[in-house]
Every structure is written in structure tokens, then in C-alpha cells.
Amino acid sequence: NGVVRHADYSNFGGATTWKVGATYEPFDGLLLRSAYSHDLRAPSLYELYLPSTTNFVSNTFRNTSYTNVRAVSSGNPNLQGETSRTLTLGASAAPSFIPGLRVSVDYYRIEVKGAIGLVGTAIISQACERGAQQFCDQISFPTPGDQTTAITAITDRFVNFSRFFTKGVDVTMNYSRPALGGTINLRGSASYVPTFRTITPGIAGAADTVREFAGGVGSGNSSAFPVPKSKCTATVTYSDDA
């Protein structure tokens, strides 16, 4: 099976997404499936048109520390869409020798490029120091263009800057059978996520910054949105006519 979709966006033009996949049932009770897709997420209205908001931060530029620097965050109407490649492989089974049992296993691998986010005032000033002019243009000085004077403001707008990568396995099981004058249903689900990382490209020769969120519990690099490496849920339900 396959599908192709072309969409035209008023702010960044046309984009084509597609998906190819296959399902195969070698015998009754076993279904194999796979899919590979190129996907797109268009920028949200918030990311495109967020009105400027201001707060004050401390910042270091060219080995000099400055306080009460205006940090201006804003949307960016020039954003492009985020793109991703997604691979899924899975199987579901309902063996005839265990009536009422169904098991499903799925593997996925997702890589997102051009992820939208705010760079941060510290990275902007570091990038300017390394000679990245596009970031120097986001810094205001008392004398425009004179980088030897104090910083007065830094504009941090949404940009297509980083990448995301994750992979994992999802398992579900459902078993139902008559018992005690009614029906007992057992259901379980589990997921394993060995990696969920962001990669921020290095600027002007700097190394990439990699942050791993899998296994985080709300501290260090995983404080933004920690992702459990393993998680499971199980339920037992009994029902009868009453």
C-alpha cells in the first residue's frame, strides 16, 4: 500500500509527504506489517506569530558578563516545516490453540529534522563570538554594529535548528475467557524506549550538542521532558450480565 500527499502552505510553499507499507498474513492468526514514511509538521500559529515578549537575563559575551540584558522572544514567519522519516515493523497474533488471546508487537524508529525551537540567548551570543553573522544580527549594541560595546538586547526567535531521534518497542496483550459465570479480561501494555535524544548542531565549528532524555527522572539534561525507558500497565476486568 502507498499514499502521496502534496500540500501548499502560504508561508513556506509546497511540501510532499508519502508513505509505503505492506501487510502479510502467512497463515490464519498471524499478521505481519511494515511501513516507511516521510512526514511533515507545519509550524503552528504560535511559532509563526508569537508576539514579542521581554524579560531580563544575565549573559556573557567576549569574556565579559552583563546583567539586565533584554531577552526578546518572538515568533518567526519565515519558519519551514519539520520533516521526519518513520519506520515501523510489527506483528499481531491470535493463536488458535489459546482462544481469546491476542498479542501485538511493534518496533518504531523516528528521526525529525529541522525541529522548531528557541535557540537560547547563551547559544546566540556564543555563536556570534565564533563568527556566525546571522546570530550577531540578533544582538543589539549601544552603537549598532560595534561588538566591542556592551550588549543591550538579544532577540531569540523560533528557528528550524535541531534534530530529534527516538526508537522503541511497544507490546500489547489481551486475553479474555469465560469464568465464574461471567467474563474475565486481562490486558497489558508495555513500552521500551532505549533512546530519545535531541541533537543541536554545532555553530561555526563547534561540536554538536546531544541531550539524552530516555531514562530521565526530572534532573540534569532530562529535566525538560523525561521519558521512561520502560513502562508497563496491566488491568484485570470481570463482568457478568448484572
Side-chain angles (χ1 to χ4, degrees):
N1 56 75
V3 61
V4 176
R5 175 178 183 265
H6 183 79
D8 185 66
Y9 295 89
S10 58
N11 59 312
F12 63 87
T16 300
T17 56
W18 50 264
K19 175 183 176 181
V20 294
T23 57
Y24 176 54
E25 189 175 15
F27 51 83
D28 287 346
L30 177 64
L31 181 69
L32 307 177
R33 55 183 175 267
S34 65
Y36 187 69
S37 63
H38 173 71
D39 311 298
L40 175 93
R41 185 185 78 84
S44 68
L45 292 175
Y46 177 84
E47 293 161 341
L48 290 167
Y49 305 117
L50 172 69
S52 296
T53 58
T54 301
N55 62 356
F56 292 89
V57 299
S58 298
N59 196 270
T60 300
F61 184 69
R62 301 195 187 283
N63 298 319
T64 302
S65 297
Y66 300 99
T67 58
N68 294 325
V69 176
R70 283 193 303 119
V72 182
S73 300
S74 70
N76 183 357
N78 297 316
L79 287 171
Q80 301 295 302
E82 296 179 342
T83 60
S84 74
R85 294 292 176 95
T86 302
L87 170 68
T88 59
L89 302 170
S92 58
S96 58
F97 55 87
I98 308 180
L101 174 66
R102 177 171 291 276
V103 179
S104 178
V105 180
D106 290 281
Y107 165 83
Y108 61 87
R109 182 184 187 277
I110 305 170
E111 182 175 9
V112 180
K113 295 182 178 180
I116 297 171
L118 296 171
V119 177
T121 56
I123 292 179
I124 291 174
S125 58
Q126 292 168 13
C128 178
E129 288 181 19
R130 298 190 183 107
Q133 185 56 45
Q134 68 269 33
F135 289 98
C136 293
D137 293 339
Q138 296 174 228
I139 301 177
S140 299
F141 302 93
T143 303
D146 185 358
Q147 298 179 13
T148 63
T149 56
I151 292 177
T152 57
I154 301 177
T155 300
D156 187 12
R157 62 179 65 92
F158 282 103
V159 291
N160 299 93
F161 193 59
S162 60
R163 307 194 309 274
F164 282 86
F165 175 78
T166 186
K167 62 182 178 179
V169 177
D170 292 329
V171 180
T172 61
M173 182 277 292
N174 194 79
Y175 178 59
S176 180
R177 63 166 295 161
L180 304 175
T183 301
I184 288 181
N185 184 267
L186 309 177
R187 179 174 177 82
S189 62
S191 64
Y192 175 63
V193 184
T195 183
F196 190 106
R197 67 171 67 110
T198 63
I199 303 98
T200 302
I203 301 169
D208 292 351
T209 300
V210 179
R211 300 179 68 192
E212 179 61 67
F213 295 92
V217 292
S219 62
N221 283 344
S222 302
S223 59
F225 43 92
V227 178
K229 278 194 173 183
S230 57
K231 180 171 59 176
C232 60
T233 303
T235 60
V236 180
T237 305
Y238 171 80
S239 61
D240 59 24
D241 290 341

